[in-house]
Amino acid sequence: MDAKDLIKRIKEDNVNFVSLQFTDVLGSVKSVDMPLRNLAGALEDGVWFDGSSVEGFARIQESDMRLILDPDTYAVLPWSPEESKRARIFCDIYTPDGKPFEGDPRGTLKRAMKRVTDRGWTFNIGPEPEFFLFKGTNGHGVHPVPHDVGGYFDFSSFDEAVVVRTKLMEALMSMGIEVEVGHHEVALGQHEIDFRFTDALKAADNVLTLKYTVKAIAAQHGLTASFMPKPVFGINGSGMHCHQSLFDKNGNNVFFDANDEMKLSATARSFIAGQLKHACALAALVAPTVNSYKRLVPGYEAPVYIGWAQINRSALIRIPRYTEGRDKSMRAELRFPDPSSNPYLAFAGMLAAALDGIDNNLTPPKPLNNVNLYHLDKKERKKMGVGELPGSLAEALVELERDAVLKEALGTAAYEAFVRAKWEEWDDFRLRVTDYEIERYLEVT
Ligand code: GLU
Ligand code: MG
């Protein structure tokens, strides 16, 4: 869509305001709002803003940054009121000398994707973000009290969750997202909405769209939506499994090989091997919060050990079973990402790890079919050569600091800003005295 088409479309949609959006290095959505009359100028010249106030962006002395609008990402925000209708457009960030800013997460993913488009391939991702709906708080702060008593795929005709989930799916579809399914997840108050796979850039844009749309629509129903990886102790947390594949120029799935017993091509196997090799460092990008590591523990359908398998949901990478004639659906489901990640940086890291496997013809270890990894002890896992994911954000960051491939994929600016912000987050957490410690130690020590 060019600038003229966009303005015409915006007028037809009766939109009055446009939110120009981008993310900081942590994945928080930032927005500059503009009345429609200024849009033509913004489309032509971009919009200047002060980058020094954004986490991970420019230093004070070089703070001017420019937003360049991506008209293809135009979507009306369906919850905005009719009389002041609002749309959003995602932006790329440029430096004053007209170059893409190296610390822009969206730009980082674009750079990473160029390495596959140069080979004539597309990197596809179908993310499955899970989330909780919690009861309204009546101004008393947020307490994670699930709003229902449902379980996996539960159906109830009058359930509030069905009403909210239907509204959510309608809202997302009106924004151009191809919703595939929405369902109740295993835990109380937990839900999942899956959308059709697309190229990784669009998939990352879609994840951000889904997150803020879910929050906005939930709030309209007096509920608080949370994508926190493990909001409630003792029940399943929320992941964002990513179904990944590579397509060639003709739309054929590079992962498919009719002659292989699992129908997996050598390229797919090397892709998997690369992601397994870099898993510990990749954790810092796909599970990037202190809380992420409360989810990656045994017993809650989230992976803990580094292996791959066809049927096994305890594995880090799962290959969904092949159905005759569905060559396009051959894919590798990476199960440790969670929705607290910045999807641009997470997907850029996933791709770089996979390409390292492909470029070096790595072969993965034997698949761990029919083994429940949660049931193996340390010795058995060692014998099978099955490694473990980092147990904390700090461990993951140490791994990231050692990983030249992922560091290069992020680029110096994004990498440095990311690890700086994440070590601060870790230290902030480490310094606190938790309820657990008081209960455990106060009286008995
Ligand atoms: N909620 C689980 C997780 O944390 C996944 C459940 C599922 O298999 O969809 O990853
Ligand atoms: Mg799920």
Side-chain angles (χ1 to χ4, degrees), residues 108-423:
T108 301
L109 178 57
K110 280 187 163 177
R111 247 188 353 260
M113 284 169 68
K114 189 168 178 305
R115 291 181 58 203
V116 282
T117 42
D118 286 349
R119 300 169 202 215
W121 292 345
T122 312
F123 177 40
N124 293 316
I125 302 188
E128 298 182 340
E130 296 174 331
F131 57 92
F132 278 81
L133 293 175
F134 292 118
K135 280 188 178 148
T137 57
N138 300 324
H140 297 305
V142 180
H143 296 287
V145 183
H147 74 105
D148 70 3
V149 291
Y152 191 60
F153 272 41
D154 273 359
F155 174 74
S156 130
S157 54
F158 55 90
D159 189 350
E160 196 183 12
V162 180
V163 177
V164 180
R165 235 175 24 234
T166 309
K167 292 272 175 238
L168 283 172
M169 294 199 282
E170 279 168 5
L172 292 166
M173 288 187 294
S174 82
M175 297 176 82
I177 293 185
E178 278 187 77
V179 173
E180 292 218 306
V181 290
H183 62 83
H184 204 293
E185 252 302 342
V186 173
L188 306 183
Q190 192 185 30
H191 305 273
E192 174 174 321
I193 294 179
D194 302 339
F195 40 92
R196 192 177 161 69
F197 70 84
T198 54
D199 69 83
L201 184 70
K202 184 132 198 272
D205 290 345
N206 285 350
V207 168
L208 296 180
T209 305
L210 180 131
K211 281 178 70 174
Y212 62 59
T213 304
V214 167
K215 283 175 185 280
I217 305 283
Q220 285 184 337
H221 291 80
L223 298 170
T224 300
S226 177
F227 290 85
M228 182 175 172
K230 185 83 170 187
V232 184
F233 168 71
I235 60 175
N236 274 16
S238 292
M240 184 174 74
H241 308 159
C242 290
H243 292 258
Q244 318 161 91
S245 59
L246 292 169
F247 279 16
D248 69 15
K249 265 198 197 104
N250 305 320
N252 295 320
N253 190 347
V254 176
F255 275 18
F256 178 75
D257 179 353
N259 300 320
D260 180 80
E261 69 178 301
M262 283 171 80
K263 309 289 177 208
L264 264 187
S265 67
T267 307
R269 285 170 191 270
S270 294
F271 180 107
I272 292 165
Q275 291 194 332
L276 294 178
K277 175 182 161 194
H278 292 281
C280 288
L282 190 55
L285 297 175
V286 303
T289 55
V290 165
N291 184 252
S292 297
Y293 296 86
K294 310 271 159 98
R295 166 180 168 253
L296 300 172
V297 296
Y300 298 100
E301 297 187 88
V304 188
Y305 308 112
I306 303 171
W308 70 295
Q310 187 150 38
I311 310 152
N312 194 338
R313 283 174 190 265
S314 61
L316 189 71
I317 298 177
R318 185 178 77 100
I319 309 300
R321 204 188 286 278
Y322 171 71
T323 322
E324 203 51 49
R326 309 262 330 250
D327 311 2
K328 284 210 164 65
S329 68
M330 206 62 215
R331 61 199 190 272
E333 177 193 9
L334 190 68
R335 289 179 63 85
F336 71 143
D338 73 52
S340 71
S341 52
N342 179 331
Y344 301 114
L345 298 185
F347 297 172
M350 282 153 51
L351 181 56
L355 286 180
D356 186 45
I358 292 173
D359 291 343
N360 293 298
N361 283 321
L362 301 184
T363 43
K366 257 178 57 186
L368 300 160
N369 293 335
N370 301 317
V371 189
N372 188 333
L373 293 169
Y374 299 148
H375 294 163
L376 299 180
D377 65 25
K378 222 179 177 109
K379 248 199 190 140
E380 290 169 306
R381 286 197 309 270
K382 200 160 174 215
K383 228 167 80 195
M384 294 173 74
V386 176
E388 236 171 88
L389 288 174
S392 68
L393 178 59
E395 284 176 37
L397 288 171
V398 169
E399 296 286 347
L400 179 62
E401 285 173 339
R402 287 195 199 128
D403 195 305
V405 168
L406 295 194
K407 274 159 90 166
E408 198 193 325
L410 294 183
T412 315
Y415 166 75
E416 282 180 358
F418 182 79
V419 291
R420 192 176 56 238
K422 288 295 161 184
W423 277 122

Side-chain angles (χ1 to χ4, degrees), residues 73-133:
T73 63
Y74 165 80
V76 177
L77 301 177
W79 62 88
S80 59
E82 203 52 42
E83 63 285 2
S84 51
K85 229 190 204 175
R86 185 179 293 268
R88 74 90 208 278
I89 295 174
F90 285 124
C91 302
D92 295 308
I93 298 162
Y94 280 68
T95 57
D97 54 3
K99 296 205 181 87
F101 169 51
E102 214 208 10
D104 172 20
R106 196 167 190 263
T108 301
L109 178 57
K110 280 187 163 177
R111 247 188 353 260
M113 284 169 68
K114 189 168 178 305
R115 291 181 58 203
V116 282
T117 42
D118 286 349
R119 300 169 202 215
W121 292 345
T122 312
F123 177 40
N124 293 316
I125 302 188
E128 298 182 340
E130 296 174 331
F131 57 92
F132 278 81
L133 293 175

